[in-house]
Amino acid sequence: MGIVETKNLVFEYIRRDEEGNVEGITRAVDDVNLSVGQGDFIAILGHNGSGKSTLAKHINAIHYPTEGTVWVDGKDTCEDANLWDIRQEAGMVFQNPDNQIIGQVVEEDVGFGPENLGVPTQEIWQRVEESLKAVGMYEFRKYSPNKLSGGQKQRVSIAGVIAMHPKCIVLDEPTAMLDPNGRREVIRAVRALNDVEEITIILITHYMEEIIYANKVFVMDKGKIAMEGSPKEIFSQVEKLKSLRLDVPQVTLLAHELRESGLAIPAGILTCEELVASLSAIRRRRGWG
Amino acid sequence: MSIILDHVSHVYEAGTAMEFAALKDINLVIPDGQFIGLIGHTGSGKSTLVQHLNGLLAPTGGNIYYNGADIHDNDYNKKELRSKVGLVFQYPEHQLFEIDVFSDVCFGPKNLGLDKKEVELRSYAALKQVGLEDEYFYQSPFDLSGGQKRRVAIAGVLAMQPEVLILDEPTAGLDPKGRDEILDQIARLREETGMTVILVSHSMEDVAKYVDRIIVMNKGQVMFDNEPREVFRHYRELEEVGLAAPQVTYIMQELKKSGFDVDTDIITIEEARRAILDALK
């Protein structure tokens, strides 16, 4: 069994009026079967309201399934006895860092998680140092979090999760507010955690260029998994992605437009090097012809 | 008519251990009707700068003039300034609070002391300008999707009928289609009304596509102030301060290195497509 498994997962929000009568039911997650192996880098895409955040919140037992089952490291999230293990093993980083920071000083905030796990003091400091260095915030360790900008706070939040030494980190649009450099640093840190520490990554994002490193991409629409495959397979389908309110990286879009204009470029180009190589091949062929 | 910043500085907590100069000697002229992109890494002073433009923050040095009057003169009407210079904060939907969408948009113009009919006409027009359908007007704003909430919040500022609209990362957290829809609507609105728009953004691709002028902030100073094409020519300096050129510009650089005869100052996909097709002819 993988680190995260879901079987026929359904989640419904019940909307009630002021008297508590049921006004309607919204099915936010609809029959999702997901299998994530230990050490995988998974990306989940989907437009606003497609159900991806609701799905993510099942992975560390913030939401419980209405129907179906979710297992984290083989443990059913519905069983109370598993709750603490699951919350430590599957860390979560949310979009808005202001909702996640509680410490008066950056290093205290990062140490809060391991402290609650009962980690010895000396090791807490080690973990705080490693975690802050991993996100490039070590020089700010003595700062008050409310003196930091949004992007800096987000990196502190990520450090706070890393310090818990989770097996799996779920990041729900962690870069939505960062500048290009901040985004690069966060994604680089996330990739390093995946490559070096073999922490499983589940990345939810609206930035298409962030997912090209994933082993597998899921695209959600109306609570269901609408597409699933490698980044190349997903990005080969430019029109389908657009119909799901999504997009492709600029290099993929340019390659697609050139294909539409009649150039023989393969579908699903993900990097600048690939595009340059295939244009060079076309030029050589034309030169010889 | 314009906004002029004359040697504007802002120091937070001057005289304490936490003293921090967020703006250092800024000189800018913002004429009517421009579409300006304001970029800079987190902490570069962008947000501090825009909060000076409608008087939310007062400079600790220098002066700000709106249409020729110093906005920090004792007899200057700040309330009027704030209706003329509309500021849409990051995640503006967190500020929605009313019982339904229409009442929320009415809140701003109502506080300008306008009569009820004028308030409602303006609010209706503003909701139409952001492309929200009538069926949502009497729903709770909290039942809407992220993109719709964002539009309601923008409509709340538009209903004040500002001459200058400042948007601080208006597309953060929206899906790609939602991003394009909001920015297209803002661009259309600017064409129709001729208002000045200042877009604070972290997306170089968006800035390249929409604005006529880019102001780059770094460490509280203006680093570049020019047309997008000219600014992105300095991509190496931009990278040093945590920014970048649009992805497509890098593609053109790589093609040039591989011997293709293309311009390297291209900043949009459409230009790139045409240049590549020409180079392969």
Side-chain angles (χ1 to χ4, degrees):
Chain A
M1 186 178 259
I3 181 83
V4 176
E5 297 269 344
T6 75
K7 186 158 183 282
N8 304 118
L9 172 62
V10 172
F11 184 78
E12 288 172 343
Y13 286 104
I14 299 172
R15 296 196 310 275
R16 291 174 194 277
D17 64 12
E18 280 161 17
E19 278 84 47
N21 302 311
V22 175
E23 272 187 329
I25 293 172
T26 308
R27 192 170 266 224
V29 177
D30 191 1
D31 196 23
V32 167
N33 292 291
L34 199 67
S35 177
V36 180
Q38 175 66 43
D40 279 356
F41 187 152
I42 300 291
I44 302 180
L45 298 178
H47 57 82
N48 294 120
S50 61
K52 55 194 188 321
S53 294
T54 311
L55 173 64
K57 284 178 184 156
H58 282 82
I59 298 171
N60 73 344
I62 295 175
H63 284 331
Y64 302 104
T66 310
E67 286 168 32
T69 318
V70 178
W71 293 273
V72 174
D73 200 20
K75 303 177 186 83
D76 185 339
T77 62
C78 280
E79 283 177 31
D80 282 348
N82 294 333
L83 194 62
W84 290 98
D85 286 346
I86 287 170
R87 296 256 167 91
Q88 184 265 316
E89 285 175 6
M92 187 133 183
V93 177
F94 297 95
Q95 185 176 343
N96 188 346
D98 285 331
N99 301 342
Q100 307 173 65
I101 291 183
I102 41 92
Q104 303 289 313
V105 180
V106 164
E107 58 185 4
E108 263 178 32
D109 186 78
V110 175
F112 181 80
E115 194 181 357
N116 277 297
L117 298 177
V119 173
T121 311
Q122 200 50 44
E123 197 190 328
I124 293 177
W125 287 113
Q126 270 172 17
R127 288 191 184 193
V128 167
E129 185 179 332
E130 288 163 10
S131 309
L132 283 170
K133 282 181 176 165
V135 296
M137 287 298 292
Y138 188 61
E139 60 185 298
F140 294 95
R141 66 193 180 281
K142 300 287 185 196
Y143 275 55
S144 162
N146 60 29
K147 296 282 173 195
L148 304 178
S149 67
Q152 291 169 327
K153 281 190 247 186
Q154 188 64 310
R155 283 189 269 157
V156 172
S157 308
I158 294 172
V161 171
I162 297 170
M164 311 257 300
H165 287 186
K167 289 186 181 167
C168 166
I169 303 181
V170 182
L171 301 111
D172 191 354
E173 291 189 54
T175 59
M177 295 197 61
L178 307 195
D179 59 31
N181 211 27
R183 281 208 300 263
R184 266 199 300 275
E185 277 174 25
V186 167
I187 295 300
R188 198 180 298 144
V190 166
R191 285 177 64 198
L193 292 173
N194 181 247
D195 282 347
V196 182
E197 318 273 342
E198 294 180 358
I199 296 176
T200 307
I201 302 291
I202 299 178
L203 175 67
I204 297 177
T205 184
H206 284 147
Y207 288 106
M208 302 299 143
E209 51 298 351
E210 289 176 358
I211 68 164
I212 62 176
Y213 309 106
N215 322 110
K216 196 164 187 189
V217 181
F218 295 91
V219 181
M220 291 197 65
D221 181 42
K222 298 186 186 113
K224 290 179 187 291
I225 292 177
M227 296 167 80
E228 135 175 28
S230 67
K232 200 177 260 308
E233 286 160 2
I234 298 290
F235 285 147
S236 302
Q237 306 174 54
V238 176
E239 299 304 330
K240 175 143 195 214
L241 282 168
K242 284 191 175 173
S243 75
L244 294 171
R245 296 181 62 88
L246 299 174
D247 207 349
V248 293
Q250 273 204 323
V251 59
T252 311
L253 183 61
L254 178 58
H256 175 75
E257 296 278 325
L258 289 168
R259 236 164 89 91
E260 299 275 290
S261 306
L263 294 188
I265 293 175
I269 293 235
L270 298 181
T271 64
C272 188
E273 293 76 48
E274 286 175 274
L275 181 62
V276 172
S278 72
L279 285 171
S280 298
I282 290 172
R283 188 179 51 174
R284 272 199 306 278
R285 278 201 299 278
R286 292 197 177 178
W288 294 338
Chain B
M1 297 311 221
S2 58
I3 304 176
I4 296 172
L5 285 84
D6 182 30
H7 297 284
V8 169
S9 317
H10 191 97
V11 181
Y12 286 110
E13 304 193 45
T16 72
M18 295 302 294
E19 181 171 310
F20 178 72
L23 296 179
K24 298 172 196 160
D25 197 33
I26 305 278
N27 294 292
L28 285 173
V29 177
I30 299 169
D32 279 352
Q34 264 190 347
F35 198 156
I36 297 175
L38 182 59
I39 63 178
H41 66 89
T42 43
S44 63
K46 303 179 303 268
S47 296
T48 304
L49 179 66
V50 295
Q51 289 179 59
H52 278 77
L53 300 181
N54 73 345
L56 277 180
L57 286 176
T60 51
N63 299 88
I64 297 162
Y65 301 92
Y66 186 71
N67 293 343
D70 186 329
I71 65 169
H72 292 289
D73 273 350
N74 285 337
D75 55 355
Y76 192 84
N77 186 346
K78 282 247 183 65
K79 191 169 169 184
E80 192 184 311
L81 175 72
R82 292 197 180 124
S83 74
K84 294 278 163 54
V85 182
L87 178 56
V88 179
F89 285 97
Q90 284 178 358
Y91 294 90
E93 61 275 21
H94 294 165
Q95 297 167 41
L96 298 175
F97 68 100
E98 273 280 13
I99 188 153
D100 61 50
V101 165
F102 196 71
S103 318
D104 205 283
V105 176
C106 286
F107 181 78
K110 202 161 72 190
N111 278 297
L112 294 179
L114 301 168
D115 68 61
K116 189 161 180 276
K117 185 152 187 214
E118 174 68 14
V119 167
E120 288 178 353
L121 283 172
R122 281 184 175 206
S123 303
Y124 184 79
L127 281 164
K128 287 281 132 188
Q129 281 174 326
V130 297
L132 207 77
E133 300 296 329
D134 297 15
E135 62 187 278
Y136 297 111
F137 284 17
Y138 295 103
Q139 283 195 20
S140 162
F142 305 105
D143 289 344
L144 305 181
S145 75
Q148 288 167 332
K149 278 190 218 170
R150 183 87 37 109
R151 266 167 229 232
V152 172
I154 294 173
V157 173
L158 288 176
M160 314 270 279
Q161 296 189 345
E163 294 166 352
V164 179
L165 180 65
I166 305 169
L167 302 122
D168 196 352
E169 292 189 54
T171 59
L174 296 186
D175 60 45
K177 185 86 182 295
R179 267 181 231 168
D180 290 349
E181 284 171 354
I182 293 249
L183 292 174
D184 284 345
Q185 250 143 9
I186 290 165
R188 201 175 317 127
L189 202 61
R190 176 188 156 258
E191 269 168 34
E192 285 165 10
T193 61
M195 69 178 158
T196 310
V197 177
I198 301 176
L199 175 70
V200 179
S201 178
H202 282 323
S203 165
M204 304 304 137
E205 287 76 17
D206 287 347
V207 170
K209 189 170 165 196
Y210 291 98
V211 308
D212 344 291
R213 171 184 174 190
I214 293 179
I215 298 171
V216 183
M217 295 286 295
N218 183 45
K219 294 187 178 157
Q221 289 173 311
V222 175
M223 186 184 184
F224 296 111
D225 178 5
N226 213 326
E227 288 171 28
R229 193 176 305 279
E230 296 299 322
V231 169
F232 288 131
R233 224 169 243 160
H234 300 278
Y235 68 98
R236 289 203 193 280
E237 286 114 303
L238 289 174
E239 283 168 15
E240 278 164 24
V241 300
L243 301 171
Q247 210 191 353
V248 66
T249 307
Y250 294 99
I251 300 171
M252 301 319 279
Q253 312 253 0
E254 288 304 315
L255 284 172
K256 184 96 184 172
K257 268 190 229 157
S258 308
F260 283 83
D261 179 24
V262 290
D263 279 339
T264 52
D265 59 1
I266 279 173
I267 56 175
T268 65
I269 298 274
E270 183 47 31
E271 285 175 308
R273 187 184 70 90
R274 268 182 276 136
I276 291 170
L277 290 175
D278 279 349
L280 283 170
K281 260 182 194 152

